[in-house]
Amino acid sequence: MSAVVSLTNVEKSFGALQVLKGVSFEVGSGEVVAVIGASGSGKSTALRCINALETIEGGEIVVCGHKIHDTKLDRRALRRDVGIVFQSYNLFPHLTVAQNIMLAPICVKNIRKAEARTLAESVLSRVGLSEKADSYPEQLSGGQQQRVAIARSLAMQPKLMLFDEVTSALDPQLTGEVLRVMEDLARGGMSMILVTHEMAFARKVASKVIFMHKGKVWEAGPGAMLDNPQTEELNTFLSNGL
Ligand code: ADP
Ligand code: MG
């Protein structure tokens, strides 16, 4: 099976600060990869490089057949294949939930309004929010808004989803409902990379866990590696209760 994402010796610096120091890993089709590590270890930067939001100085990244390091990269085509969801939901407050979701399919994919509405209803049902289509973001809880943000990404029918600490701003109950949506997506065969502090979720859902430390993949393995860390750094990270 060919990889949906492959990183090979990726290097990325901000000025004099080298943030990624030769990062390599792969995500197979339908695989869920959880990226963990202390704050500042380079997790978000790695995700941003995968979606070509940052340029890299060394190594290679191939995402759904797109060569990110290639100067001829077709960013529009890449954006159609990859959805990204951040901690902040960034919904437009003056648009309804459905209108927020319909925006990109209409603008980027040129589909008709009626078709976009049907699509919005279908992705809203996947995240359990069918009844909120005509609500405004401010009428929803944080967890519901985050589920709308996930639905908005799904409406573009991506081949890969990237999640960067999407539950970090939510209280435990709302976190649970967002994690359930992500678990459903994983079960449905979506290829995903998620940066998370939810160790129990990573252990349960991820096919592979990547522990980043100081800009490197320090340890990688199945979820069970969290029960039996091989390095002192992972052990310390896990016992700090992050
Ligand atoms: P993590 O997501 O693991 O917390 P990040 O990838 O956000 O880590 O950041 C890794 C390091 O890169 C940090 O030291 C951070 O301050 C630095 N960094 C991230 N983005 C930028 C930027 N745009 N300019 C300068 N430094 C940055
Ligand atoms: Mg981060």
Side-chain angles (χ1 to χ4, degrees), residues 14 17 19 38-45:
F14 294 108
L17 178 69
V19 176
S39 178
S41 57
K43 306 179 299 293
S44 295
T45 302

Side-chain angles (χ1 to χ4, degrees), residues 17-28:
L17 178 69
Q18 193 177 15
V19 176
L20 300 180
K21 301 173 184 169
V23 168
S24 303
F25 65 87
E26 283 200 347
V27 183

Side-chain angles (χ1 to χ4, degrees), residues 38-40 42-45 87 164-165 195 197:
S39 178
K43 306 179 299 293
S44 295
T45 302
Q87 183 177 325
D164 194 354
E165 297 194 19
V195 174
H197 290 303

Side-chain angles (χ1 to χ4, degrees), residues 97-111:
V97 162
Q99 287 165 342
N100 265 282
I101 295 171
M102 291 158 65
L103 207 56
I106 290 173
C107 297
V108 181
K109 287 194 164 172
N110 294 318
I111 71 170

